[in-house]
Amino acid sequence: MKLRRVYLLAIAAQVAAMDMGMDMDMTEVEPVTTTAQTAHITPTPYEASHLHGLPILERPGLTPAEKMYWQNYSSETFFNTLEGNRFAFKYHVATMSLVMFISYPISLVLNSVASGWYLPWLAINLALTVSSLVLAAVFSATFPHEWYPGNIYKTTSIVLFVFIIVHFVVALLSRIASTIVIEDISEYSLLGEGIPLKMYPSGGSPGSTPEQDIETDSLRQNISPQTHFLSYKIFRSQWVQRIAWTFGGLCSLIFNTLNYPLMLYILFNNCVGLAVGNLFGKGPRVFNLLAHWIKGAVFVILGVISLARYCGLGQTRGWAWNRVTYTNPQRVNSHRLRYMPRGTLTVEFIESFLIFFYGSTNVFLEHLAGSGGAWTAKDLQHVSIAFMYIGTGLCGLLSELKLNNWRFYYTLKTSSISSNEVFAASPGYSPNPFPTMTIFWTGILMSQHAQASHTSTSVHMQWGYLLSYGSFFRIFTFLILYFKPLTDDYPSKPITEVITALCLLAGGLIFMESTDQVIEAMDYRGYTPMFTFNISVGFVALFMAWIMILCMWREWLLQCKRARL
C-alpha cells in the first residue's frame, strides 16, 4: 500500500508540473528590466565560443610561458621597417617579382618561337635584373643593423648577377655567329655560281673523305686565272664560317644550359630573399624552413609542369597527353632517338626516378636538425615517409620496364602505321600508378600529422587533402585515355589535368606556408587557416591563368610564323 501511495503521488506531481508549464507557455514572457549591473551589456543572439580570428595575445587561457613568448615576439622585418633606403628596397622587391612572373617567362616564349623580338626583350630583362640587384646592394649598404647574420641572399644574388649577364652575352654572340654563317653562305653561293659550295683549302675539309679531297684539288687546278680572286673570297668565307660555326656552337651550348634552369634559379633566389626579408630560418629553425619550402616548391613546380603539359608542353615527345610514334628514318638522323626505348621515355618514368632519388637522400636529411644526437620520434616519423618514397619509386621504375612493350603495341593498335616502320611509340601516358599513389599517400599521411597548434594542424590538413585530390583526378586522366584511346597525335587536353594542376599548385604553396614561423606570424595577427587558404587558392588561380595566357600567346605566334611561310 505504501508503494502504491508513493507512485500515485509521483504521478500527481508530474501532472501538476505539466499544467504549470502549459500555463507559462500561454502567458507572455516579461522583458528583463535593465539595471545598473546590466547596463554595459550589449544584447546579442549568439556569443562567440571559439578563439579563431583573435590575435594570440588577446586569447584567454595563455600559460605564463606562452604569454612571455608572445609578448617578446617581434613582427618587425625588412618589409615593414622604416630603416635603410626604402626606395631601393621597394624597387628591388617590385622588379625581382616582375622578372620572375612576367619578364623572364615572356623571354622564354619569344625564344621558343625564334622571334626577332627575343634579344631586345632579353636586354630589357637584363636591365631590370641588374638594376634590381644593384639597388639591393644600395639598401644593404644603408641598413644600419645586422639582422640576419650569415644569410646567403647576398651570395645567391651575386651568382644571379653573373648568370644573367653570361646568359645575355652568349645569346647575343650565338645570334651574331649564326648571322655571319648565313651571310657568308649567301656571299659565296652568289659569287661562286657554278662552283661547288664545299671548297676547302688543300688538305681537305673536316670529316671529308680522300676521294672528296682529290676532287676538290682537281677542281682547283682547273680554275682559270680570272677566277683566282673569286676562289680566294670563297676560301676566306669558308674560314670565317668555320670559326663562326665553332664559336657559335659553344655559345649556343652555354645558352641552352642556362636558359630554362635560369628560370628555376630566379625562383630559388626570390624564395631565399622572401625568407631573409621576413627573418625566417634563423639559427636551428632553418631546417624546418628548408624542409617545408623545398618540398612545397617541388609540388609547385610539378603543378606548373602539369598545367604546361595540358597546354601542349612536350608534344614532340608525347608528354602533352598525346600519341607519339618514331619511324626508322627519324632514328637514323637523330643521336637522341638511337637510345630511345621501345615504349619511349615517359613522364611517369622521370617521376618514378625522382621519387626514388628523393627517398634515398631524405633518409639522411630528416636528421639534420638533430645531427650528432639521438633520433627523435619526429625524425623517425618523417623517415618512414622517406622509406615509402624509396619503395614506391623503385616499384614505379620496375613498372615502366614492364609496361615498355605494352605502350608500343597499344599505340600500334590505334595507329595505321605498320610495326615495320615504327621503332618506338607511346599512347601519351603510362598506366603506372606508383607516382600518383605516392603523392596520394603523402597527402593522406600529412593530413593526419598532428602539430603543436590548431592553426598548424589545420594548414597541414589543407595541403594534405589537396595533394590527395590532385592524385585522384590524375587517376581519372589515365582511365579516360585508356577507355577512349587517341586517334591522332594532337594533345588531348584532358579536363581532369586542369584540376590536378590546381590541386598540386595550391597544395605546394600551402605546404610552404605550413612552416613554423609562418604559422606563428598567422597566429600573432589572428589570421585563420581558412583566410590563408582562400588567399592561396585565389593566387594560384590567377597564376594558372597567366601560364595559360603565355601558352596561348606562344601558339598564336607559331601560327603567325607558319602563315608567313
Side-chain angles (χ1 to χ4, degrees):
M1 294 293 293
K2 290 183 178 180
L3 290 173
R4 184 179 180 184
R5 189 178 300 167
V6 171
Y7 179 71
L8 293 173
L9 289 173
I11 293 176
Q14 290 180 1
V15 172
M18 290 176 63
D19 291 341
M20 292 178 63
M22 291 177 64
D23 293 340
M24 290 181 65
D25 290 340
M26 298 297 294
T27 59
E28 184 177 352
V29 180
E30 296 183 1
V32 178
T33 305
T34 303
T35 63
Q37 297 179 349
T38 62
H40 65 284
I41 299 177
T42 302
T44 183
Y46 306 105
E47 291 190 319
S49 58
H50 60 81
L51 304 177
H52 308 318
L54 286 177
I56 198 165
L57 284 173
E58 298 180 15
R59 301 177 188 175
L62 292 177
T63 66
E66 290 174 333
K67 188 174 293 186
M68 183 180 296
Y69 179 87
W70 290 110
Q71 285 176 343
N72 294 323
Y73 180 86
S74 175
S75 60
E76 189 177 20
T77 66
F78 286 106
F79 284 93
N80 57 21
T81 184
L82 298 178
E83 297 181 294
N85 189 323
R86 299 308 300 167
F87 171 78
F89 179 82
K90 292 177 180 177
Y91 180 86
H92 172 66
V93 172
T95 49
M96 285 309 300
S97 300
L98 193 66
V99 167
M100 183 174 69
F101 289 111
I102 298 178
S103 177
Y104 197 75
I106 288 179
S107 72
L108 291 177
V109 172
L110 293 174
N111 177 65
S112 68
V113 299
S115 171
W117 287 97
Y118 173 64
L119 280 179
W121 185 265
L122 197 64
I124 294 173
N125 179 79
L126 175 69
L128 282 173
T129 308
V130 170
S131 62
S132 180
L133 296 175
V134 168
L135 285 186
V138 170
F139 173 76
S140 179
T142 58
F143 196 75
H145 310 295
E146 186 63 38
W147 271 6
Y148 204 134
N151 76 82
I152 65 169
Y153 187 59
K154 294 179 181 178
T155 304
T156 59
S157 296
I158 292 172
V159 173
L160 177 61
F161 183 83
V162 173
F163 278 177
I164 203 75
I165 292 178
V166 171
H167 177 257
F168 177 78
V169 170
V170 295
L172 183 62
L173 291 178
S174 61
R175 179 65 63 87
I176 293 174
S178 64
T179 304
I180 291 175
V181 171
I182 292 172
E183 287 179 352
D184 283 341
I185 290 176
S186 301
E187 180 184 6
Y188 68 75
S189 62
L190 290 173
L191 291 173
E193 185 177 357
I195 299 177
L197 293 180
K198 289 189 177 180
M199 290 183 59
Y200 294 91
S202 181
S205 62
S208 62
T209 63
E211 291 79 11
Q212 290 173 331
D213 295 337
I214 293 172
E215 191 174 328
T216 303
D217 290 336
S218 174
L219 180 62
R220 186 183 296 111
Q221 293 171 5
N222 294 328
I223 297 177
S224 63
Q226 289 81 5
T227 60
H228 283 171
F229 179 73
L230 175 61
S231 176
Y232 168 76
K233 293 208 67 169
I234 294 173
F235 296 148
R236 188 193 68 177
S237 297
Q238 191 64 246
W239 177 75
V240 172
Q241 183 191 5
R242 284 185 185 179
I243 296 177
W245 186 272
T246 304
F247 184 71
L250 179 62
C251 291
S252 180
L253 177 63
I254 298 173
F255 171 80
N256 291 325
T257 303
L258 287 176
N259 196 33
Y260 282 97
L262 189 57
M263 181 72 247
L264 295 178
Y265 188 81
I266 292 172
L267 171 65
F268 164 73
N269 184 72
N270 282 10
C271 287
V272 172
L274 182 63
V276 172
N278 283 289
L279 304 179
F280 291 158
K282 294 177 68 175
R285 287 193 153 190
V286 67
F287 299 108
N288 177 267
L289 179 74
L290 289 176
H292 286 80
W293 281 31
I294 291 176
K295 298 172 186 177
V298 168
F299 289 110
V300 169
I301 294 172
L302 187 59
V304 172
I305 293 174
S306 297
L307 183 60
R309 291 177 66 193
Y310 172 83
C311 294
L313 175 70
Q315 179 179 352
T316 57
R317 290 177 169 84
W319 293 353
W321 306 104
N322 63 293
R323 190 184 64 182
V324 62
T325 54
Y326 296 104
T327 60
N328 291 314
Q330 290 176 299
R331 188 177 191 178
V332 173
N333 299 324
S334 173
H335 294 287
R336 178 178 64 88
L337 295 181
R338 291 178 185 176
Y339 305 99
M340 178 71 70
R342 205 174 194 187
T344 74
L345 182 65
T346 63
V347 175
E348 287 75 21
F349 175 85
I350 298 173
E351 290 175 343
S352 297
F353 173 77
L354 293 177
I355 288 170
F356 176 75
F357 177 77
Y358 170 78
S360 302
T361 57
N362 206 45
V363 171
F364 310 99
L365 295 177
E366 290 296 348
H367 190 54
L368 283 178
S371 181
W375 285 70
T376 64
K378 187 176 182 180
D379 293 340
L380 295 175
Q381 184 181 20
H382 289 165
V383 165
S384 65
I385 299 178
F387 279 116
M388 181 187 74
Y389 274 59
I390 294 175
T392 55
L394 184 58
C395 288
L397 292 174
L398 296 175
S399 296
E400 284 300 301
L401 294 177
K402 295 291 291 182
L403 291 168
N404 188 40
N405 287 330
W406 179 89
R407 292 193 298 272
F408 178 77
Y409 289 110
Y410 184 78
T411 307
L412 292 181
K413 281 169 47 178
T414 60
S415 174
S416 59
I417 304 177
S418 171
S419 59
N420 296 327
E421 302 174 9
V422 177
F423 74 90
S426 171
Y429 72 100
S430 182
N432 183 352
F434 288 100
T436 302
M437 188 181 73
T438 303
I439 298 176
F440 175 80
W441 281 111
T442 300
I444 292 295
L445 292 172
M446 296 310 293
S447 67
Q448 306 301 317
H449 193 5
Q451 301 293 310
S453 70
H454 171 79
T455 302
S456 183
T457 302
S458 298
V459 172
H460 275 76
M461 289 177 64
Q462 288 173 357
W463 67 259
Y465 286 142
L466 280 169
L467 297 185
S468 300
Y469 298 153
S471 303
F472 185 75
F473 281 97
R474 172 61 57 82
I475 293 293
F476 267 105
T477 301
F478 290 160
L479 294 176
I480 291 171
L481 295 178
Y482 181 80
F483 288 110
K484 190 176 181 181
L486 302 178
T487 57
D488 53 46
D489 297 339
Y490 294 101
S492 57
K493 300 185 184 300
I495 190 174
T496 49
E497 280 305 297
V498 178
I499 305 174
T500 297
L502 173 64
C503 291
L504 290 174
L505 280 165
L509 180 60
I510 297 173
F511 194 159
M512 298 175 72
E513 293 174 8
S514 63
T515 186
D516 288 347
Q517 287 182 276
V518 175
I519 296 297
E520 289 181 3
M522 291 169 57
D523 277 334
Y524 182 78
R525 295 166 175 81
Y527 295 160
T528 64
M530 196 62 199
F531 171 75
T532 55
F533 180 82
N534 292 340
I535 294 295
S536 300
V537 173
F539 173 78
V540 164
L542 290 173
F543 182 56
M544 289 178 63
W546 173 238
I547 294 175
M548 296 177 75
I549 289 172
L550 288 176
C551 292
M552 292 171 64
W553 181 48
R554 179 180 179 274
E555 289 298 321
W556 179 77
L557 289 175
L558 287 174
Q559 290 176 5
C560 292
K561 196 165 188 177
R562 294 190 194 104
R564 288 196 298 269
L565 296 176

